[in-house]
Amino acid sequence: MTTERYNPRDAEPRWQRYWTENRCFEAREDLSKPKYYVLEMFPYPSGRIHMGHVRNYTMGDVIARFRRACGYNVLHPMGWDAFGMPAENAAIERGVHPKSWTYDNIAAMRGQLKSMGLALDWSREITTCDPAYYRHEQEMFIDFLAADLVERKVSTVNWDPVDNTVLANEQVIDGRGWRSGALVENRELAQWFLKITDYSEELLAALDRLDRWPEKVRLMQRNWIGRSEGMRFSFALEDEAGRILGERLAVYTTRYDTIFGASFCAISTDHELAKRQAERNPALDAFRREVAALGTSEETIERAEKKGYPLGLYARHPFREKVRLPVYAANFVLMGYGEGAIFGCPAHDQRDLDFARKYRLQVVPVVAPKGVDAASFAIGDEAYLEKEGDETVLINSDFLDGLSVPAAKEEIARRMEAMKIGERRVNYRLRDWGVSRQRYWGCPIPVIHCTSCGIVPVPKKDLPVTLPDDVTFDKPGNPLDHHPIWKHVKCPTCGGPARRETDTFDTFVDSSWYYARFCSPASARPVDAAAAAYWMPVDKYIGGVEHAILHLLYSRFYARAMMRTHHLDIDEPFASLFTQGMVVHETFQSASGEWVLPVDAVQKDGHWVHAKTGEPLTVGGIEKMSKSKRNVVDPEAIIERYGADTARWFMLSDTPPERDIEWTEAGVDGAWRFIQRLWRLVNEAVREGSPGEPAGVAGAALELRRAAHRALDAVTGDLMNLRFNRSIARINELGNALSAALQAADRSEPMRRSIREAAEMLVLMSAPMMPHLAEECWRQLGHAKPVVDTAWPKPDAALVADDCVTIAVQVNGKRRDEVRLAKGLGKEAVEALALKLDSVARALDGRPVRKVIVVPDRIINIVG
RNA sequence: GCGGGCGUGGCGGAACGGUAGACGCAACGGACUUAAAAUCCGUUGGGAGAAAUCCCGUGGGGGUUCGAGUCCCUCCGCCCGCACCA
């Protein structure tokens, strides 16, 4: 008897239609059920989905379908992070309008996502470039303004000369723009900032509560926030002649215990003092320019020598009357951190030491290992930094001599505070979030600049401020600024002529609250309180680790800002976060060095050649799929050829979800074969099996039942913990057991019932992962009600538990035998049995038994 | 430089401190077939042996333990994040 092969091309669209027509995945608030909100990071509509999307959305879909089957009221929405520069680049390069480019891409990608058979609630689809979405963003911004969460300030910003826009600190990687890769320049601009630093402590402290986030991500955020405990204090300044100046120099340090080792002060070239001096000192001005030109990229920092320019000023040591520290403007002091000024202690800071050696400044050690003679303790080329566990004492430090570092800190802090020249202070590395972008394709910032009234928020009744469609991209700069009329408005307050803000929001603003909008995508308010109270927080958020800082930190801040402005009632938006690994693939290169697509690479006589030209290819490293290396496989082609279930199954098999997965042809074939195998097994089970309650079975029939219930038990636990690869291994095992039963001769009624039961369980268990095939199989098994409406089965505890166990028998820690015994047998009985074994006697080789360790139902170890 | 993670067969990977290598891929042998594909059955960490069985084995070295892939110390290698942060 033959069974036709399973044909996904017929089955998949059919079931997708069924789910859509029956609105299976449209979520409604229902207080009678526990809710579960599963969300994958929404895509940028670049035009086509890539394998990273397939992996991300498959995982989310398995969770959504599994939770739904388990009785949860599941919210699983999808939307588009639709503002951003690729749309403008397309406009510049190809003359298409960013809007039509974006919406065409969305249409194409929506179709691709639908072909994956995802259990998404498409009725909640949101698009960030839709005024229906961004009007709420504008409304909230106005509320943020009123709540003092926004600041407009002129500051030195990171300017990307290629994208012609400002970048946030988080968007500068190794001194280069995160998108363009261009070396970032410093520019002075008036910008809008969201005051994320108001929440530094809060964002840091709350990380401890996020116990269902990866430790790695929490650590990265902790480091990014960069809390340090130190002191801010000031020096009296004097000039060359020793005349005291009216102003003091404030510095920040975490090592105030080393004050007696100070030999100079250094200020940033952007420090007010340096700027002022530069006005009448051309040499200093030249030095400032030189430093500014160097940039902040990794290479330049590595190579750059520590350089300083003496200002002719001296800082008086607070505890030693005669000591005067020369003040330099230095290239290694950052204006953005602390006070933009430091005191240098060369003995205990490598950077300060390099500087001191160059300018022949004193190097006085003030901390030394305990017991070392203070007079002979000298510093060579390396600063002395205490390591953890080192016992150290202060030396050469007057009243601090002999104290430990913490005690010295305490003493200095006490004295400085008494002298009223400084105080202990907590400092953060985190900077405020600059959100202004000089671009067209973003959400307009809803403010108006009026010459007489200053900054005036757009009245809420005038929202949304929509983007004009008639813009041109023929000259550099911001099209909104070039637009003939758009920016010219009347001041809402005085009615006089005014100018509309032409900057738009950083697109990370759009993605900082979309998770909340999904709760009530059509609400007239940004977020409907009742809906958010029901759905929030997101129970499982899935995406790439590349968003560990940017998006996830901004979202955590945004939820707090929305809370302050009464738009949301929750501070942590994502209760549990999962960061999935990348999809990687081999790279192929032709002799001329061109990258070759995997579809064009074929193996011939053990060598890789180009499928069309026959040209030999070299196989390169296995790397993240990327357009530049062309090592991409198009999901659409895979779905076309094998169906969505094959792609989904492959994505979940073998590799744990947090690790990088290598896409291989062999792996896809393997997934395809399994799908056909399951289809065959189910069809055979329909013929050979017998429906009915498989009660009272024994022997082989009972063993098959046990295998089924055990597999179900394991898969349930594994899916709960996102261990997809393990659950697939379990499903394979049950498939093997069912296959063996079908090969065997036993066709007793109990066996026929067990076969049927095993087949049904196999189908239900694999349904979250390959939903289309499961529906087909389920119908084949005679069920009128689809899998999508079928509850997750419950394993029978009696069948999961074993009444017999295999106990390993060890002698001196080495396995020598195993015995199969009734479960729960007492220690003495196990010991007596084991000691009678030939293998044990042989291994003991006549030695007397000294000790016996019995771990019930697991192992016995005989020590001889 | 600072911080973190990871090293297990030919490969992806399993393994509450308790039988290392589940499951899959690849490879090899066999069945079916005129043949191939598909499918099914079997073998597959290394070494010795006809076999029973024994020895070795989770990056290297050391330690704790009746027992270590798992815990501790140390070295080596790879990967990731941050980086002139005072």
Side-chain angles (χ1 to χ4, degrees), chain A residues 253-254 298 306 332 334 337 351 429 655 677 723 726 733 861:
Chain A
T253 178
T254 55
E298 190 177 349
K306 306 287 170 270
F332 64 91
L334 304 171
Y337 189 80
R351 199 186 39 198
R429 209 187 76 112
T655 304
R677 177 174 156 87
R723 305 183 69 160
R726 275 218 318 196
E733 275 176 324
N861 190 10

Short mmCIF file of all heavy atoms in Angstrom, two decimals, chain A residues 253-254 298 306 332 334 337 351 429 655 677 723 726 733 861, chain B residues 12 14-15 19 22-23 39-40 55-56 66 83-86:
data_model
loop_
_atom_site.label_atom_id
_atom_site.label_comp_id
_atom_site.label_asym_id
_atom_site.label_seq_id
_atom_site.Cartn_x
_atom_site.Cartn_y
_atom_site.Cartn_z
N THR A 253 36.74 62.23 40.90
CA THR A 253 37.64 61.09 41.03
C THR A 253 37.01 59.99 41.86
O THR A 253 36.18 60.26 42.72
CB THR A 253 38.97 61.50 41.68
OG1 THR A 253 39.80 60.35 41.83
CG2 THR A 253 38.74 62.12 43.07
N THR A 254 37.38 58.76 41.53
CA THR A 254 36.94 57.65 42.39
C THR A 254 38.08 57.26 43.33
O THR A 254 37.91 56.45 44.21
CB THR A 254 36.57 56.41 41.56
OG1 THR A 254 37.69 56.07 40.72
CG2 THR A 254 35.35 56.66 40.70
N GLU A 298 38.50 53.73 17.73
CA GLU A 298 39.35 52.80 18.46
C GLU A 298 40.82 52.96 18.06
O GLU A 298 41.69 53.07 18.91
CB GLU A 298 38.90 51.37 18.18
CG GLU A 298 39.56 50.37 19.06
CD GLU A 298 39.02 48.97 18.81
OE1 GLU A 298 38.01 48.85 18.11
OE2 GLU A 298 39.62 48.04 19.32
N LYS A 306 49.37 60.37 24.85
CA LYS A 306 48.79 61.28 25.83
C LYS A 306 49.49 62.63 25.65
O LYS A 306 50.70 62.72 25.74
CB LYS A 306 49.03 60.77 27.25
CG LYS A 306 48.57 59.34 27.47
CD LYS A 306 47.06 59.23 27.53
CE LYS A 306 46.59 57.78 27.51
NZ LYS A 306 46.36 57.25 26.16
N PHE A 332 43.21 63.39 26.61
CA PHE A 332 42.57 62.16 27.07
C PHE A 332 41.47 62.39 28.11
O PHE A 332 40.91 61.45 28.65
CB PHE A 332 43.62 61.18 27.63
CG PHE A 332 44.36 61.67 28.85
CD1 PHE A 332 43.88 61.38 30.11
CD2 PHE A 332 45.54 62.39 28.73
CE1 PHE A 332 44.56 61.81 31.24
CE2 PHE A 332 46.22 62.83 29.84
CZ PHE A 332 45.73 62.55 31.11
N LEU A 334 37.75 63.52 28.93
CA LEU A 334 36.48 63.67 28.24
C LEU A 334 35.61 64.71 28.93
O LEU A 334 35.42 64.67 30.14
CB LEU A 334 35.72 62.34 28.26
CG LEU A 334 36.43 61.13 27.69
CD1 LEU A 334 35.64 59.87 27.99
CD2 LEU A 334 36.64 61.29 26.20
N TYR A 337 32.21 63.40 30.82
CA TYR A 337 32.18 62.54 32.00
C TYR A 337 32.65 63.30 33.22
O TYR A 337 33.67 64.00 33.17
CB TYR A 337 33.05 61.30 31.79
CG TYR A 337 32.88 60.29 32.89
CD1 TYR A 337 31.78 59.43 32.89
CD2 TYR A 337 33.78 60.22 33.94
CE1 TYR A 337 31.59 58.52 33.90
CE2 TYR A 337 33.60 59.31 34.97
CZ TYR A 337 32.50 58.46 34.94
OH TYR A 337 32.32 57.57 35.96
N ARG A 351 47.37 55.70 32.53
CA ARG A 351 47.23 56.84 31.63
C ARG A 351 47.96 58.07 32.21
O ARG A 351 48.70 58.76 31.52
CB ARG A 351 45.74 57.11 31.51
CG ARG A 351 45.27 57.90 30.38
CD ARG A 351 43.79 58.11 30.61
NE ARG A 351 43.58 58.36 32.05
CZ ARG A 351 42.42 58.25 32.66
NH1 ARG A 351 41.37 57.88 32.00
NH2 ARG A 351 42.32 58.50 33.94
N ARG A 429 27.80 57.01 33.54
CA ARG A 429 28.34 57.15 32.20
C ARG A 429 27.22 57.49 31.21
O ARG A 429 27.45 58.08 30.16
CB ARG A 429 28.92 55.78 31.82
CG ARG A 429 30.06 55.80 30.86
CD ARG A 429 30.36 54.36 30.48
NE ARG A 429 29.36 53.89 29.55
CZ ARG A 429 29.61 53.61 28.28
NH1 ARG A 429 30.83 53.70 27.83
NH2 ARG A 429 28.66 53.20 27.47
N THR A 655 20.19 22.91 16.83
CA THR A 655 20.92 23.98 17.50
C THR A 655 20.05 24.66 18.56
O THR A 655 18.92 25.02 18.28
CB THR A 655 21.37 25.01 16.45
OG1 THR A 655 22.13 24.34 15.45
CG2 THR A 655 22.21 26.10 17.09
N ARG A 677 8.22 11.58 6.68
CA ARG A 677 8.20 10.39 7.55
C ARG A 677 7.01 10.46 8.51
O ARG A 677 6.30 9.47 8.70
CB ARG A 677 9.52 10.36 8.33
CG ARG A 677 9.66 9.23 9.36
CD ARG A 677 11.09 9.27 9.92
NE ARG A 677 11.21 8.66 11.23
CZ ARG A 677 11.41 7.37 11.43
NH1 ARG A 677 11.50 6.55 10.40
NH2 ARG A 677 11.53 6.90 12.65
N ARG A 723 13.32 25.04 24.88
CA ARG A 723 14.37 24.11 24.47
C ARG A 723 13.85 23.32 23.28
O ARG A 723 13.57 22.13 23.36
CB ARG A 723 14.75 23.22 25.64
CG ARG A 723 15.15 24.07 26.84
CD ARG A 723 15.61 23.25 28.00
NE ARG A 723 16.87 22.61 27.72
CZ ARG A 723 17.68 22.16 28.66
NH1 ARG A 723 17.37 22.30 29.92
NH2 ARG A 723 18.82 21.58 28.34
N ARG A 726 15.68 20.15 21.97
CA ARG A 726 15.46 18.95 22.76
C ARG A 726 14.08 18.37 22.51
O ARG A 726 13.92 17.16 22.47
CB ARG A 726 15.62 19.27 24.25
CG ARG A 726 17.03 19.21 24.72
CD ARG A 726 17.16 18.61 26.09
NE ARG A 726 16.14 19.09 27.04
CZ ARG A 726 16.24 18.94 28.34
NH1 ARG A 726 17.31 18.36 28.85
NH2 ARG A 726 15.30 19.36 29.13
N GLU A 733 12.38 10.51 18.83
CA GLU A 733 12.40 9.25 19.55
C GLU A 733 11.04 8.55 19.50
O GLU A 733 10.95 7.34 19.27
CB GLU A 733 12.81 9.48 21.02
CG GLU A 733 14.30 9.51 21.19
CD GLU A 733 14.72 9.85 22.62
OE1 GLU A 733 14.04 10.68 23.27
OE2 GLU A 733 15.71 9.29 23.08
N ASN A 861 27.69 2.60 44.24
CA ASN A 861 29.14 2.61 44.10
C ASN A 861 29.76 1.83 45.24
O ASN A 861 29.53 2.12 46.41
CB ASN A 861 29.64 4.07 44.11
CG ASN A 861 31.10 4.17 43.72
OD1 ASN A 861 31.71 3.20 43.26
ND2 ASN A 861 31.68 5.34 43.93
P G B 12 30.47 21.17 15.33
OP1 G B 12 30.94 22.55 15.48
OP2 G B 12 30.90 20.12 16.29
"O5'" G B 12 28.88 21.18 15.30
"C5'" G B 12 28.20 22.08 14.43
"C4'" G B 12 26.71 21.91 14.62
"O4'" G B 12 26.31 20.58 14.21
"C3'" G B 12 26.23 22.00 16.05
"O3'" G B 12 26.12 23.34 16.47
"C2'" G B 12 24.87 21.31 15.95
"O2'" G B 12 23.92 22.15 15.35
"C1'" G B 12 25.20 20.16 15.00
N9 G B 12 25.57 18.94 15.72
C8 G B 12 26.84 18.51 16.03
N7 G B 12 26.85 17.38 16.69
C5 G B 12 25.50 17.06 16.85
C6 G B 12 24.90 15.94 17.49
O6 G B 12 25.44 15.01 18.07
N1 G B 12 23.50 16.01 17.42
C2 G B 12 22.80 17.02 16.80
N2 G B 12 21.48 16.91 16.84
N3 G B 12 23.36 18.06 16.19
C4 G B 12 24.71 18.01 16.26
P A B 14 22.82 21.26 23.55
OP1 A B 14 21.90 22.34 23.86
OP2 A B 14 24.13 21.19 24.25
"O5'" A B 14 22.03 19.91 23.78
"C5'" A B 14 22.67 18.87 24.37
"C4'" A B 14 21.72 17.79 24.64
"O4'" A B 14 22.19 16.65 23.87
"C3'" A B 14 21.76 17.37 26.11
"O3'" A B 14 20.67 17.92 26.78
"C2'" A B 14 21.72 15.86 26.04
"O2'" A B 14 20.40 15.37 25.93
"C1'" A B 14 22.47 15.59 24.75
N9 A B 14 23.93 15.49 24.89
C8 A B 14 24.89 16.36 24.43
N7 A B 14 26.12 15.96 24.65
C5 A B 14 25.96 14.76 25.32
C6 A B 14 26.87 13.83 25.83
N6 A B 14 28.19 13.98 25.75
N1 A B 14 26.37 12.74 26.44
C2 A B 14 25.04 12.58 26.52
N3 A B 14 24.09 13.38 26.07
C4 A B 14 24.62 14.47 25.47
P A B 15 20.93 18.74 28.11
OP1 A B 15 19.61 19.12 28.66
OP2 A B 15 21.96 19.77 27.85
"O5'" A B 15 21.60 17.63 29.06
"C5'" A B 15 20.79 16.59 29.60
"C4'" A B 15 21.68 15.54 30.21
"O4'" A B 15 22.59 15.03 29.21
"C3'" A B 15 22.61 16.04 31.32
"O3'" A B 15 21.95 16.07 32.57
"C2'" A B 15 23.70 14.98 31.30
"O2'" A B 15 23.30 13.80 31.96
"C1'" A B 15 23.83 14.71 29.80
N9 A B 15 24.87 15.54 29.18
C8 A B 15 24.73 16.76 28.56
N7 A B 15 25.86 17.26 28.11
C5 A B 15 26.81 16.30 28.45
C6 A B 15 28.20 16.24 28.26
N6 A B 15 28.91 17.17 27.63
N1 A B 15 28.85 15.14 28.73
C2 A B 15 28.14 14.20 29.36
N3 A B 15 26.83 14.14 29.60
C4 A B 15 26.22 15.24 29.12
P U B 19 25.16 8.94 35.15
OP1 U B 19 26.30 9.67 34.57
OP2 U B 19 23.81 9.20 34.67
"O5'" U B 19 25.45 7.38 35.01
"C5'" U B 19 26.66 6.82 35.51
"C4'" U B 19 27.15 5.79 34.54
"O4'" U B 19 26.14 4.74 34.46
"C3'" U B 19 27.32 6.30 33.11
"O3'" U B 19 28.42 5.63 32.51
"C2'" U B 19 26.04 5.89 32.42
"O2'" U B 19 26.21 5.67 31.02
"C1'" U B 19 25.75 4.58 33.12
N1 U B 19 24.33 4.22 33.11
C2 U B 19 23.98 3.11 32.38
O2 U B 19 24.78 2.44 31.77
N3 U B 19 22.64 2.83 32.39
C4 U B 19 21.65 3.51 33.04
O4 U B 19 20.50 3.13 32.95
C5 U B 19 22.10 4.66 33.78
C6 U B 19 23.41 4.97 33.79
P A B 22 24.31 8.80 21.39
OP1 A B 22 24.89 7.47 21.65
OP2 A B 22 24.52 9.46 20.11
"O5'" A B 22 22.73 8.75 21.66
"C5'" A B 22 22.22 8.14 22.83
"C4'" A B 22 20.99 8.87 23.30
"O4'" A B 22 21.37 10.10 23.96
"C3'" A B 22 20.03 9.33 22.19
"O3'" A B 22 19.18 8.26 21.79
"C2'" A B 22 19.27 10.45 22.89
"O2'" A B 22 18.28 9.94 23.74
"C1'" A B 22 20.39 11.10 23.70
N9 A B 22 21.03 12.20 22.99
C8 A B 22 22.33 12.26 22.55
N7 A B 22 22.62 13.39 21.94
C5 A B 22 21.43 14.11 21.98
C6 A B 22 21.09 15.37 21.52
N6 A B 22 21.93 16.17 20.86
N1 A B 22 19.83 15.80 21.72
C2 A B 22 18.98 14.99 22.37
N3 A B 22 19.20 13.78 22.86
C4 A B 22 20.45 13.39 22.64
P C B 23 19.06 7.85 20.28
OP1 C B 23 17.96 6.87 20.18
OP2 C B 23 20.40 7.52 19.76
"O5'" C B 23 18.59 9.21 19.59
"C5'" C B 23 17.26 9.69 19.75
"C4'" C B 23 17.13 11.06 19.13
"O4'" C B 23 17.93 12.01 19.88
"C3'" C B 23 17.69 11.17 17.72
"O3'" C B 23 16.80 10.67 16.74
"C2'" C B 23 17.88 12.68 17.62
"O2'" C B 23 16.65 13.36 17.47
"C1'" C B 23 18.47 12.98 18.99
N1 C B 23 19.94 12.86 18.98
C2 C B 23 20.71 13.94 18.52
O2 C B 23 20.12 14.97 18.15
N3 C B 23 22.05 13.84 18.49
C4 C B 23 22.65 12.70 18.89
N4 C B 23 23.98 12.65 18.83
C5 C B 23 21.90 11.58 19.35
C6 C B 23 20.56 11.69 19.37
P U B 39 13.78 8.75 2.39
OP1 U B 39 13.32 9.75 3.36
OP2 U B 39 15.24 8.52 2.19
"O5'" U B 39 13.13 7.34 2.75
"C5'" U B 39 11.73 7.25 3.00
"C4'" U B 39 11.32 5.81 3.07
"O4'" U B 39 11.70 5.13 1.84
"C3'" U B 39 12.01 4.99 4.16
"O3'" U B 39 11.38 5.19 5.41
"C2'" U B 39 11.83 3.58 3.63
"O2'" U B 39 10.51 3.12 3.84
"C1'" U B 39 12.06 3.78 2.13
N1 U B 39 13.47 3.56 1.73
C2 U B 39 13.91 2.25 1.58
O2 U B 39 13.20 1.29 1.77
N3 U B 39 15.22 2.11 1.20
C4 U B 39 16.13 3.13 0.96
O4 U B 39 17.27 2.85 0.62
C5 U B 39 15.59 4.46 1.14
C6 U B 39 14.32 4.62 1.51
P C B 40 12.25 5.15 6.74
OP1 C B 40 11.39 5.64 7.83
OP2 C B 40 13.55 5.79 6.49
"O5'" C B 40 12.49 3.60 6.94
"C5'" C B 40 11.39 2.72 7.19
"C4'" C B 40 11.86 1.29 7.11
"O4'" C B 40 12.34 1.02 5.76
"C3'" C B 40 13.06 0.95 7.97
"O3'" C B 40 12.70 0.72 9.31
"C2'" C B 40 13.59 -0.29 7.27
"O2'" C B 40 12.80 -1.42 7.55
"C1'" C B 40 13.42 0.09 5.81
N1 C B 40 14.63 0.73 5.23
C2 C B 40 15.69 -0.10 4.82
O2 C B 40 15.57 -1.32 4.97
N3 C B 40 16.80 0.45 4.29
C4 C B 40 16.89 1.77 4.16
N4 C B 40 18.00 2.28 3.64
C5 C B 40 15.83 2.65 4.58
C6 C B 40 14.73 2.08 5.11
P C B 55 39.40 -1.55 32.94
OP1 C B 55 39.83 -1.36 34.34
OP2 C B 55 38.04 -1.17 32.52
"O5'" C B 55 40.44 -0.81 31.99
"C5'" C B 55 41.84 -0.96 32.20
"C4'" C B 55 42.59 -0.29 31.07
"O4'" C B 55 42.22 -0.89 29.80
"C3'" C B 55 42.26 1.19 30.85
"O3'" C B 55 42.94 2.01 31.77
"C2'" C B 55 42.73 1.40 29.42
"O2'" C B 55 44.13 1.50 29.33
"C1'" C B 55 42.27 0.09 28.78
N1 C B 55 40.93 0.22 28.15
C2 C B 55 40.82 0.84 26.90
O2 C B 55 41.84 1.28 26.36
N3 C B 55 39.60 0.97 26.32
C4 C B 55 38.52 0.49 26.94
N4 C B 55 37.35 0.62 26.32
C5 C B 55 38.59 -0.14 28.21
C6 C B 55 39.81 -0.26 28.79
P C B 56 42.24 3.37 32.26
OP1 C B 56 43.11 3.96 33.29
OP2 C B 56 40.82 3.08 32.55
"O5'" C B 56 42.31 4.27 30.95
"C5'" C B 56 43.56 4.74 30.47
"C4'" C B 56 43.38 5.47 29.16
"O4'" C B 56 42.79 4.58 28.17
"C3'" C B 56 42.41 6.64 29.18
"O3'" C B 56 42.97 7.81 29.75
"C2'" C B 56 42.12 6.80 27.70
"O2'" C B 56 43.19 7.41 27.01
"C1'" C B 56 42.01 5.33 27.26
N1 C B 56 40.61 4.86 27.29
C2 C B 56 39.76 5.24 26.23
O2 C B 56 40.21 5.95 25.32
N3 C B 56 38.46 4.83 26.24
C4 C B 56 38.02 4.07 27.25
N4 C B 56 36.74 3.69 27.21
C5 C B 56 38.86 3.68 28.34
C6 C B 56 40.13 4.09 28.31
P C B 66 34.93 11.07 50.01
OP1 C B 66 34.11 10.68 51.16
OP2 C B 66 36.38 11.34 50.15
"O5'" C B 66 34.75 9.97 48.88
"C5'" C B 66 35.44 8.73 48.98
"C4'" C B 66 34.92 7.79 47.92
"O4'" C B 66 33.55 7.43 48.25
"C3'" C B 66 34.81 8.38 46.53
"O3'" C B 66 36.05 8.31 45.85
"C2'" C B 66 33.75 7.50 45.88
"O2'" C B 66 34.26 6.25 45.49
"C1'" C B 66 32.79 7.30 47.07
N1 C B 66 31.69 8.29 47.09
C2 C B 66 30.65 8.18 46.15
O2 C B 66 30.71 7.28 45.30
N3 C B 66 29.65 9.06 46.17
C4 C B 66 29.62 10.02 47.10
N4 C B 66 28.60 10.87 47.09
C5 C B 66 30.65 10.15 48.06
C6 C B 66 31.66 9.27 48.03
P A B 83 31.77 52.07 24.15
OP1 A B 83 31.11 53.37 24.30
OP2 A B 83 31.79 51.38 22.85
"O5'" A B 83 33.27 52.19 24.64
"C5'" A B 83 33.56 52.93 25.80
"C4'" A B 83 34.94 52.56 26.28
"O4'" A B 83 35.22 51.17 26.08
"C3'" A B 83 36.09 53.22 25.56
"O3'" A B 83 36.21 54.56 25.99
"C2'" A B 83 37.26 52.36 26.01
"O2'" A B 83 37.67 52.68 27.32
"C1'" A B 83 36.61 50.96 26.04
N9 A B 83 36.96 50.19 24.84
C8 A B 83 36.16 49.86 23.77
N7 A B 83 36.79 49.16 22.85
C5 A B 83 38.07 49.04 23.35
C6 A B 83 39.22 48.41 22.85
N6 A B 83 39.27 47.77 21.68
N1 A B 83 40.35 48.47 23.60
C2 A B 83 40.31 49.12 24.77
N3 A B 83 39.29 49.75 25.35
C4 A B 83 38.19 49.67 24.57
P C B 84 37.14 55.54 25.18
OP1 C B 84 36.41 56.71 24.75
OP2 C B 84 37.83 54.68 24.21
"O5'" C B 84 38.16 55.92 26.35
"C5'" C B 84 38.92 54.92 27.00
"C4'" C B 84 40.03 55.57 27.78
"O4'" C B 84 40.95 56.15 26.84
"C3'" C B 84 39.53 56.68 28.70
"O3'" C B 84 40.17 56.58 29.96
"C2'" C B 84 39.98 57.96 27.99
"O2'" C B 84 40.32 58.96 28.90
"C1'" C B 84 41.24 57.47 27.27
N1 C B 84 41.62 58.22 26.11
C2 C B 84 42.97 58.49 25.94
O2 C B 84 43.77 58.05 26.78
N3 C B 84 43.37 59.19 24.87
C4 C B 84 42.46 59.64 24.00
N4 C B 84 42.90 60.33 22.97
C5 C B 84 41.06 59.38 24.14
C6 C B 84 40.69 58.67 25.21
P C B 85 39.58 55.48 31.02
OP1 C B 85 40.54 55.45 32.13
OP2 C B 85 39.18 54.23 30.35
"O5'" C B 85 38.24 56.20 31.47
"C5'" C B 85 38.23 57.11 32.59
"C4'" C B 85 36.88 57.01 33.25
"O4'" C B 85 35.93 57.67 32.40
"C3'" C B 85 36.43 55.55 33.40
"O3'" C B 85 36.43 55.06 34.73
"C2'" C B 85 35.15 55.42 32.56
"O2'" C B 85 34.10 54.82 33.24
"C1'" C B 85 34.82 56.85 32.15
N1 C B 85 34.49 56.93 30.73
C2 C B 85 33.15 57.15 30.34
O2 C B 85 32.31 57.29 31.22
N3 C B 85 32.86 57.23 29.03
C4 C B 85 33.81 57.08 28.12
N4 C B 85 33.47 57.17 26.84
C5 C B 85 35.15 56.84 28.48
C6 C B 85 35.45 56.77 29.78
P A B 86 35.98 55.37 35.97
OP1 A B 86 35.74 54.23 36.82
OP2 A B 86 34.95 56.41 35.76
"O5'" A B 86 37.29 56.06 36.53
"C5'" A B 86 37.19 57.08 37.46
"C4'" A B 86 38.49 57.83 37.44
"O4'" A B 86 38.80 58.22 36.08
"C3'" A B 86 38.45 59.14 38.21
"O3'" A B 86 38.69 58.95 39.58
"C2'" A B 86 39.52 59.95 37.53
"O2'" A B 86 40.78 59.59 37.98
"C1'" A B 86 39.33 59.53 36.08
N9 A B 86 38.40 60.42 35.35
C8 A B 86 37.25 61.02 35.81
N7 A B 86 36.65 61.75 34.91
C5 A B 86 37.45 61.64 33.80
C6 A B 86 37.36 62.18 32.51
N6 A B 86 36.38 62.99 32.11
N1 A B 86 38.32 61.87 31.62
C2 A B 86 39.31 61.07 32.01
N3 A B 86 39.52 60.49 33.19
C4 A B 86 38.54 60.82 34.05
#
